[in-house]
Amino acid sequence: MEPLIPPRLLPWPSPEGKPCFLVHGSERGYVSRLADEMEATQLSMGTDVLGLARKVLDDPVSPTAEVRYAGIRLAECLGDVLRVAESRGMRLPVSDGDDAEDTDVFEVVSGAHP
């Protein structure tokens, strides 16, 4: 019997603004690869927008319109990043609780990303 594959939350909404899911998709399928590419783009754009917004927000004489625009773009990017995080979290394996004694050991290295 094949393990149950949870639906994948896609990084774009339906035309009605509701969440879209990929049901019974494979990691190598076209829609899954497209979603991976879009998530990578969204995360990259978030990094770019954050850098530009910091410049505007750090300048005490930035015009109100620029500060407002930076806030709007940051909110859009935060929404995208939260959707990516939710989607990836939904796909993490769930422990059955039998291996409670097992612990993960990791090392935090400054500047390193998984």
Side-chain angles (χ1 to χ4, degrees), residues 1-76:
M1 181 179 219
E2 287 186 34
L4 185 61
I5 300 171
R8 176 182 180 169
L9 177 63
L10 295 172
W12 53 80
S14 72
E16 298 82 28
K18 296 180 180 180
C20 286
F21 292 88
L22 176 61
V23 180
H24 303 295
S26 76
E27 292 181 13
R28 293 175 289 215
Y30 174 76
V31 175
S32 187
R33 287 192 322 267
L34 183 64
D36 289 342
E37 290 173 16
M38 183 153 189
E39 285 180 353
T41 299
Q42 288 172 325
L43 295 174
S44 176
M45 286 176 54
T47 300
D48 294 344
V49 168
L50 179 59
L52 295 170
R54 279 190 172 139
K55 290 178 185 175
V56 171
L57 297 173
D58 286 343
D59 183 354
V61 294
S62 289
T64 303
E66 286 184 26
V67 172
R68 185 173 190 282
Y69 181 74
I72 290 169
R73 294 293 296 135
L74 285 169
E76 290 170 356

Side-chain angles (χ1 to χ4, degrees), residues 85-108:
E86 181 180 2
S87 175
R88 292 181 180 183
M90 291 169 61
R91 291 180 276 145
L92 290 175
V94 177
S95 173
D96 59 7
D98 290 339
D99 56 349
E101 293 182 25
D102 293 341
T103 58
D104 291 332
V105 178
F106 61 92
E107 179 180 350
V108 177

